[in-house]
Amino acid sequence: MRKEDTVKLISAEGFEFVVDKEAAMVSQTIHNMLTSPGSFAERQHGEVTFPEISTTILEKICQYFYWHLQFASENLAVVSGKETEFPIEPELTLELMMAANYLHT
């Protein structure tokens, strides 16, 4: 995979997640950061730092991006007659909701 086809997402603790650009674009906020005209650092370097999002939450968000591409975007949330829900651990719910709100995901 070419570097320009990926995006590096960096958590508050400095952990780096390299994800497909298409997956990251599920987030309207990331999409805007990477496609806005001008010389924004995010666009130039292909990386976005989230100083307020922990590694655990950012990992879950990255998982959601891929889940969304596979299921939600093509209305494939029902597979073999069963609904495919994105799994969320109860203890992550509040932080995930705040991060999703910020990321417009």
Side-chain angles (χ1 to χ4, degrees), residues 17-83:
F17 296 90
V18 178
V19 298
D20 295 330
K21 195 175 215 174
E22 180 184 9
M25 296 289 198
V26 167
S27 162
Q28 189 61 47
T29 300
I30 295 173
H31 180 272
N32 291 342
M33 289 175 171
L34 297 175
T35 61
S36 295
S39 56
F40 294 102
E42 293 87 0
R43 184 174 182 183
Q44 289 179 342
H45 302 294
E47 61 181 55
V48 182
T49 302
F50 297 102
E52 301 296 324
I53 300 178
S54 71
T55 299
T56 303
I57 297 302
L58 190 55
E59 179 180 25
K60 197 67 170 178
I61 289 167
C62 292
Q63 292 170 0
Y64 173 77
F65 291 162
Y66 286 102
W67 179 90
H68 182 83
L69 285 181
Q70 184 176 0
F71 296 106
S73 62
E74 296 181 19
N75 294 325
L76 295 176
V78 177
V79 176
S80 301
K82 296 180 182 176
E83 215 174 293

